[in-house]
Amino acid sequence: EAGVAQSPRYKIIEKRQSVAFWCNPISGHATLYWYQQILGQGPKLLIQFQNNGVVDDSQLPKDRFSAERLKGVDSTLKIQPAKLEDSAVYLCASSQSSGGGNEQFFGPGTRLTVL
Amino acid sequence: GEDVEQSLFLSVREGDSSVINCTYTDSSSTYLYWYKQEPGAGLQLLTYIFSNMDMKQDQRLTVLLNKKDKHLSLRIADTQTGDSAIYFCAESTDSSYKLIFGSGTRLLVRP
């Protein structure tokens, strides 16, 4: 079974530029998550999709971050414009459903550096 | 509010047992998880425990939950160098299945 795929693995941009990350979840997984992991911290949920609908985006900075999951499969996360404090690893995860105890499978992440 | 805390660092000798501790504040936590993160890799679920359990054992891993003190621990028996990684404690509730992570404990296993 293929895991969660993410690209690119690394990205370096200057502040005020825009950037996009892509995630392909495990086939058949209805729930998709985007997390932000700042160095030295645990992951923080940015947005959760159930199929192609948003379940929770309460911690997504909506003035600069946007995410979509077209057709309930792949997802993209965009930052425009980027700030220095956006430097982090962006992790995508998927699970079969959103219930408690459902294992979330994580991708390798995209490391973003904002200069 | 929700908060999960862990000690930052633990160093053990190969073959010894490791005990990683975690405290949480949300009394409505339903599931508590342990994840492992190796360098350059995503997080891997090691085990989880439902809040009505006190203990769960899975091969070399033992999870203990003290719900009264809101304290969770992960014991790794016969720790190997391949166990060197960052270990994250996380919790979720019935009302919100999102994971709230601690800041991670870096485990270093010395040969």
Side-chain angles (χ1 to χ4, degrees):
Chain A
E1 178 183 80
V4 176
Q6 291 188 247
S7 68
R9 292 294 311 273
Y10 305 92
K11 190 75 177 177
I12 300 174
I13 61 173
E14 295 189 349
K15 60 183 179 183
R16 291 188 289 273
Q17 286 187 321
S18 61
V19 64
F21 313 127
W22 173 82
C23 172
N24 180 236
I26 292 173
S27 177
H29 280 193
T31 311
L32 185 148
Y33 314 79
W34 283 102
Y35 290 87
Q36 180 192 59
Q37 186 178 17
I38 293 172
L39 186 65
Q41 299 181 18
K44 182 184 79 172
L45 180 70
L46 291 176
I47 188 166
Q48 176 183 339
F49 292 94
Q50 181 71 17
N51 297 308
N52 60 351
V54 174
V55 173
D56 185 346
D57 64 356
S58 57
Q59 298 195 82
L60 186 74
K62 299 180 187 64
D63 57 334
R64 299 184 300 106
F65 285 64
S66 65
E68 61 181 8
R69 190 183 184 197
L70 299 176
K71 301 180 183 177
V73 181
D74 292 3
S75 177
T76 56
L77 176 70
K78 296 179 182 177
I79 308 175
Q80 181 179 11
K83 292 186 175 181
L84 296 177
E85 59 260 36
D86 298 332
S87 293
V89 176
Y90 290 84
L91 295 164
C92 179
S94 70
S95 63
Q96 287 191 323
S97 69
S98 60
N102 270 280
E103 180 174 357
Q104 294 186 25
F105 293 84
F106 283 80
T110 297
R111 182 178 297 275
L112 173 68
T113 302
V114 182
L115 303 176
Chain B
E2 306 154 326
D3 195 20
V4 179
E5 293 193 358
Q6 302 177 237
S7 54
L8 290 180
F9 185 74
L10 176 65
S11 177
V12 301
R13 199 177 298 274
E14 187 175 18
D16 288 350
S17 292
S18 307
V19 179
I20 303 171
N21 294 300
C22 169
T23 58
Y24 59 97
T25 57
D26 192 342
S27 58
S28 61
S29 294
T30 307
Y31 293 91
L32 294 129
Y33 307 80
W34 284 104
Y35 280 83
K36 177 183 181 182
Q37 187 175 39
E38 295 180 272
L43 280 77
Q44 174 196 358
L45 178 65
L46 290 176
T47 187
Y48 70 90
I49 189 168
F50 190 57
S51 60
N52 66 356
M53 298 169 65
D54 298 323
M55 186 183 85
K56 182 177 181 181
Q57 188 154 0
D58 184 2
Q59 298 182 335
R60 292 191 297 124
L61 305 179
T62 302
V63 178
L64 295 177
L65 174 60
N66 181 330
K67 197 171 180 182
K68 173 177 168 289
D69 294 337
K70 301 189 184 68
H71 182 267
L72 183 75
S73 68
L74 173 70
R75 178 177 180 269
I76 306 173
D78 187 25
T79 313
Q80 302 298 305
T81 55
D83 294 324
S84 292
I86 301 176
Y87 291 80
F88 290 93
C89 170
E91 57 99 8
S92 68
T93 66
D94 269 343
S95 59
S96 169
Y97 294 122
K98 71 180 182 184
L99 295 176
I100 305 297
F101 285 90
S103 54
T105 299
R106 182 178 295 274
L107 174 65
L108 175 66
V109 183
R110 310 184 307 275

